[in-house]
């Protein structure tokens, strides 16, 4: 039978977690992997790869496709499709219980594809696993489960009781029953292995990638370049800002803007869960204001609604309503606090990359990370990083040859120790400039950091190739693996 007459084999990617423009680590994983799958399958098709010649990607969600999905479909129209998973964007049923939507969609895809599909569930667990009567044993080999981390188990105080119990039950069941289980780092794989010591099949690792925009341009080094770049960043931020403070960020005078550009910029990126440890960073930055005459501003990106006022949440809802009726400009919630910190709800990648280029240091005090995107994004951009030891971040640059103050691990939650580490970078009395001089001679910071960091390039293509090679390996290898698991 000619290959054109063979029914497609579908990689069905659940993209519900990446349906908005607020990119969590999970959303970045979904988008990056989906884009890399399109690129990898296109390359394999041009090479007439027999293992994946009929493989296509189906993106599924509960609403209309996000912008990134539309652009991906337009780039690879013969390889990638989208389905809203049933009634479509305007239908409100199947929201409760949460597992009903994905369970039904998975069964429909099984019928329509003739069983030729893998359901890729990129989360800590997926709803079909919850419902045994909607998930027959025969379907287990069609589910590809990605478990990002064990944070709800390791840091229970950061999660609600019901969520922790549900997480624990479903992750353990996934490890016990599903043949295809993936995670995103060696650290998470080791922790998950301890949860299921009797599991004989491997827990595969899909190495997360970092978008190419991070580290593609050099850092600003001269005083005039840095001041100009910071003004440009703040101007762009102000043009999109919904301010919430007594003075109002959007109403800052030119003198106040100049004063802001002259401060030292410490950046923190991540949501507001307890295990992220932002109170440690905030206290450390506060202590720095008595050490540095120019002052310090702590720029926090990604603070979510947990700590925001009702006015803030109302502004966000208004912003999103405006976007839904066709506004092209993303509106940003920006708050200036009396403590000297700036909180920004979220930033598009181009603005975040610009912020990394013109800041002084990134601080990442999180006590748990399944992968941890911000430290890698910042380091690839040439920005010094101070991070909490004991997480997956430890393994990002194994065997690196960085300056000791460029990539610092702190095995403590003492604000004083974090303040000392920050002060060492900001005062720059240990030769860090020499490291920057070497970086400046490279093609771009990313190439320099990848080379000095042990050779890892952080391309999303590695994740796509790893997934395809595991799912579509030669039949004799698959038979051997199944035999091993049954012995």
């Amino acid at each position: 039978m000619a290959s054109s007459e063979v029914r497609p084999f579908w990689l069905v990617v659940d993209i519900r977690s990446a349906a908005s423009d607020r990119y969590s680590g999970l959303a970045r994983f979904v988008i990056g992997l989906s884009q890399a799958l399109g690129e990898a399958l296109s390359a394999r098709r041009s090479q007439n790869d027999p293992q994946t010649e009929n493989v296509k990607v189906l993106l599924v969600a509960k609403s209309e496709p996000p912008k990134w999905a539309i652009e991906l479909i337009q780039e690879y129209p013969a390889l990638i499709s989208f389905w809203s998973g049933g009634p479509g964007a305007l239908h409100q049923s199947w929201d409760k219980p949460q597992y009903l939507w994905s369970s039904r969609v998975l069964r429909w895809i099984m019928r329509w594809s003739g069983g030729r599909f893998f359901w890729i569930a990129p989360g800590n667990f997926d709803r079909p696993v919850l419902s045994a009567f909607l998930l027959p044993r025969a379907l287990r080999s069609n589910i590809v489960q990605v478990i990002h981390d064990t944070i709800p188990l390791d840091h229970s105080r950061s999660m609600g009781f019901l969520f922790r119990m549900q997480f624990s039950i479903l992750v353990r069941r996934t490890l016990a029953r599903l043949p295809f289980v993936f995670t995103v780092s060696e650290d998470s794989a080791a922790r998950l292995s301890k949860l299921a010591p009797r599991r004989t099949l491997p827990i595969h690792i899909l190495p997360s990638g970092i978008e190419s925009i991070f580290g593609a341009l050099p850092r600003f080094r001269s005083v005039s370049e840095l001041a100009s770049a910071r003004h440009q960043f703040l101007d762009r931020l102000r043009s999109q800002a919904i301010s919430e403070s007594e003075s109002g960020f959007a109403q800052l005078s030119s003198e106040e803007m100049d004063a802001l550009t002259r401060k030292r910029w410490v950046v923190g990126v991540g949501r507001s869960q307890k295990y992220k440890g932002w109170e440690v960073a905030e206290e450390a930055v506060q202590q720095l204001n008595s050490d540095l005459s120019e002052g310090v501003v702590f720029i926090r990106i990604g603070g979510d609604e947990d700590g925001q006022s009702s006015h803030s949440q109302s502004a966000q809802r208004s912003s999103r309503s405006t976007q839904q009726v066709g506004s092209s400009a993303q509106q940003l919630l920006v708050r200036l606090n009396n403590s000297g910190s700036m909180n920004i709800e979220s930033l598009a990648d181009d603005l975040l990359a610009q912020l990394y280029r013109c800041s002084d240091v990134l601080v990442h005090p999180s006590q748990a990370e399944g992968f941890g995107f911000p430290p890698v994004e910042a380091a690839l951009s040439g920005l010094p990083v101070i991070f909490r030891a004991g997480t997956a971040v430890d393994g990002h640059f194994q065997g690196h040859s960085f300056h000791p103050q460029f990539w610092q691990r702190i095995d403590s939650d003492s604000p004083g120790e974090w303040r000392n580490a920050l002060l060492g970078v900001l005062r720059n009395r240990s030769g860090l400039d020499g490291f920057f001089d070497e970086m400046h001679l490279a093609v771009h910071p990313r190439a320099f950091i990848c080379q000095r960091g042990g050779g890892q390039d952080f391309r999303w293509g590695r994740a796509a190739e790893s997934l395809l090679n595991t799912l579509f390996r030669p039949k004799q290898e698959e038979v051997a693996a199944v035999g091993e698991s049954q012995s």
Side-chain angles (χ1 to χ4, degrees):
M1 181 180 295
S3 60
S4 59
E5 298 175 353
V6 176
R7 298 179 71 174
F9 193 104
W10 293 98
L11 292 178
V12 184
V13 184
D14 181 349
I15 66 168
R16 286 174 290 169
S17 59
S20 74
D21 58 358
R22 298 182 68 193
Y23 291 166
S24 63
L26 179 55
R28 282 197 178 280
F29 179 85
V30 172
I31 297 170
L33 179 61
S34 300
Q35 293 171 337
L37 283 173
E39 182 178 354
L41 288 173
S42 177
R44 287 181 175 222
R45 180 164 293 191
S46 66
Q47 298 165 4
N48 297 316
D49 175 49
Q51 297 295 327
T52 57
E53 60 180 336
N54 297 305
V55 176
K56 295 184 178 182
V57 176
L58 178 63
L59 308 176
V60 294
K62 294 180 67 172
S63 58
E64 69 278 4
K67 180 182 177 181
W68 68 265
I70 295 173
E71 293 173 347
L72 187 57
I73 294 166
Q74 292 172 339
E75 185 174 1
Y76 302 106
L79 290 173
I80 300 181
S81 303
F82 175 85
W83 183 43
S84 65
L90 301 181
H91 203 282
Q92 298 300 314
S93 66
W94 301 358
D95 286 343
K96 302 290 183 179
Q98 295 183 25
Y99 62 82
L100 189 56
W101 177 87
S102 51
S103 300
R104 288 185 173 180
V105 170
L106 187 145
R107 293 290 294 270
W108 286 349
I109 289 173
M110 178 187 68
R111 293 196 297 269
W112 293 343
S113 68
R116 293 173 55 82
F117 78 98
F118 282 119
W119 175 280
I120 300 175
N124 287 322
F125 51 81
D126 196 61
R127 301 304 179 184
V129 182
L130 182 63
S131 179
F133 74 93
L134 289 174
L135 183 64
R137 181 183 295 271
L139 272 182
R140 292 179 184 174
S141 60
N142 294 84
I143 296 180
V144 178
Q145 185 68 59
V146 184
I147 302 175
H148 277 249
D149 51 54
T150 59
I151 291 173
L153 300 177
D154 297 336
H155 293 267
S156 60
R157 289 182 300 174
S158 299
M159 310 289 172
F161 173 77
L162 292 178
F163 175 81
R164 295 199 321 266
M165 293 298 296
Q166 183 175 237
F167 177 96
S168 176
I169 292 171
L170 294 180
V171 167
R172 292 174 191 273
R173 288 180 63 186
T174 292
L175 292 170
R177 299 182 182 184
L178 299 186
F180 292 114
V181 177
F182 292 79
T183 190
V184 296
S185 68
E186 295 282 356
D187 182 79
S188 289
R191 294 172 188 266
L192 290 171
S193 295
K194 293 179 180 179
L195 293 178
R198 295 184 180 180
R199 180 182 175 89
T200 57
L201 290 171
I203 297 174
H204 304 282
I205 296 176
L206 290 183
S208 290
I210 301 296
E211 283 69 16
S212 59
I213 192 172
F214 297 107
L217 295 173
R219 283 180 52 78
F220 302 103
R221 302 202 62 197
S222 72
V223 174
S224 59
E225 281 183 336
L226 185 60
S228 176
R230 289 182 171 183
H231 268 291
Q232 290 176 11
F233 173 81
L234 293 173
D235 285 340
R236 288 189 61 190
L237 197 63
R238 186 162 58 174
S239 69
Q240 301 178 35
I242 305 171
S243 293
E244 185 191 3
S245 67
E246 293 182 2
S247 59
F249 174 72
Q251 288 77 43
L252 287 181
S253 67
S254 59
E255 291 79 8
E256 290 170 321
M257 290 281 279
D258 287 338
L260 197 54
T261 63
R262 289 193 295 269
K263 292 177 179 288
R264 308 307 295 270
W265 285 17
V266 178
V267 178
V269 181
R271 297 180 64 191
S272 299
Q273 290 99 330
K274 292 179 181 178
Y275 69 86
K276 291 289 186 179
W278 293 119
E279 68 282 354
V280 174
E282 289 167 359
E283 186 173 343
V285 172
Q286 280 294 304
Q287 294 177 13
L288 287 175
N289 279 296
S290 61
D291 299 306
L292 300 169
S293 58
E294 63 270 37
V296 182
V297 59
F298 185 32
I299 303 177
R300 273 273 287 112
I301 312 298
D304 52 26
E305 295 180 2
D306 293 343
Q308 294 176 5
S309 67
S310 58
H311 172 74
S312 162
Q313 296 178 32
S314 175
Q316 291 183 57
R317 288 192 293 270
S318 174
S319 168
R320 292 184 184 121
S321 298
T322 303
Q323 293 176 42
Q324 290 172 0
V325 297
S327 173
S328 59
Q330 179 190 11
Q331 292 181 287
L332 304 175
L333 178 65
V334 180
R335 289 176 288 142
L336 285 173
N337 300 329
N338 293 331
S339 61
S341 63
M342 178 188 297
N343 293 335
I344 306 171
E345 178 192 21
S346 64
L347 281 181
D349 280 355
D350 61 332
L351 270 174
L352 183 57
Q354 185 175 352
L355 177 62
Y356 287 149
R357 291 178 67 204
C358 59
S359 296
D360 293 292
V361 61
L362 178 128
V363 61
H364 196 74
S366 177
Q367 299 172 356
E369 291 293 339
F371 179 78
F373 283 90
V376 191
E377 293 170 350
L380 294 179
S381 303
L383 181 65
V385 174
I386 304 173
F387 65 94
R388 179 64 162 81
T391 77
V393 180
D394 278 320
H396 288 326
F397 295 106
Q398 295 181 356
H400 66 79
S401 57
F402 298 148
H403 186 281
Q405 288 188 336
F406 180 81
W407 183 255
Q408 292 188 70
R409 61 193 302 273
I410 304 296
D411 193 9
S412 170
D413 297 314
S414 165
E417 292 196 34
W418 286 82
R419 170 245 181 200
N420 291 336
L422 285 165
L423 193 58
V425 174
L426 297 176
R427 282 183 170 166
N428 189 19
R429 293 178 177 173
S430 60
L432 188 55
D433 276 342
F435 183 77
F436 288 141
D437 288 339
E438 293 183 58
M439 183 190 302
H440 194 66
L441 296 175
V443 176
H444 45 63
R446 187 180 186 122
F448 176 79
I449 295 301
C450 287
Q451 186 272 324
R452 295 286 292 267
Q456 186 175 178
D457 58 11
F458 294 99
R459 293 180 303 106
W460 278 110
R462 296 178 309 126
E465 288 297 335
S466 177
L467 180 66
L468 294 172
N469 290 337
T470 301
L471 298 182
F472 299 102
R473 58 187 170 183
K475 288 296 181 181
Q476 59 269 26
E477 295 184 26
E478 184 175 333
V479 170
V482 172
E484 180 184 346
S485 68
Q486 294 176 345
S487 60

